[in-house]
Amino acid sequence: MRTPGVKLEPVEGGHFLFLCPGCRESHIVRVRSEGSGHGWTWNGDVVKPTFSPSILLTGLETVRDEKGRWTGEWVKDAAGQPVPLVCHSFITDGRIQFLGDCTHALAGQTVDLPDWSDDE
Ligand SMILES: [Zn+2]
């Protein structure tokens, strides 16, 4: 049983996973450790997390099955080329603001981060 409202799943190295409602998959945030200049700052809250600076992911669109799992295939355009994917967001107080350069449907919108679930 998980605590309701928790948005982050801790992983090795003091980093966290969150469920991205735009990509419908988890993304990792590498939280800055003491004395290191690398990674994101985090407000220490797993229910209303704030990370800084923005989180930018680039890659290729993946083909998903009906359960949202990657089939191992890439989405191809009419010319047979893989389709680029951009996911660019700010996470503030448990909400995720997608910037206009996202390639998914939530570009330009701000929504609540979904609670973490192992099922997704
Ligand atoms: Zn995303």
Side-chain angles (χ1 to χ4, degrees):
M1 203 35 207
R2 290 185 169 271
T3 313
V6 171
K7 310 293 193 291
L8 303 178
E9 171 75 357
V11 290
E12 219 174 309
H15 306 313
F16 290 96
L17 293 171
F18 68 92
L19 285 175
C20 173
C23 302
R24 286 172 304 204
E25 64 175 27
S26 58
H27 295 330
I28 190 167
V29 184
R30 296 176 198 282
V31 174
R32 186 176 302 189
S33 51
E34 282 297 317
S36 158
H38 301 289
W40 280 261
T41 61
W42 173 49
N43 66 347
D45 195 325
V46 295
V47 174
K48 293 192 167 192
T50 298
F51 293 107
S52 181
S54 65
I55 297 160
L56 172 64
L57 278 113
T58 56
L60 297 170
E61 291 276 5
T62 53
V63 178
R64 305 265 156 182
D65 67 16
E66 66 280 359
K67 292 220 167 89
R69 287 176 301 219
W70 182 33
T71 62
E73 299 288 316
W74 306 103
V75 175
K76 304 272 178 62
D77 66 15
Q81 295 302 308
V83 176
L85 173 138
V86 177
C87 181
H88 194 187
S89 64
F90 282 104
I91 292 179
T92 308
D93 284 339
R95 290 174 65 77
I96 183 163
Q97 175 197 0
F98 291 108
L99 304 182
D101 53 347
C102 293
T103 51
H104 55 64
L106 294 181
Q109 297 185 39
T110 303
V111 298
D112 288 331
L113 263 186
D115 289 359
W116 179 264
S117 157
D118 290 322
D119 303 333
E120 295 187 51

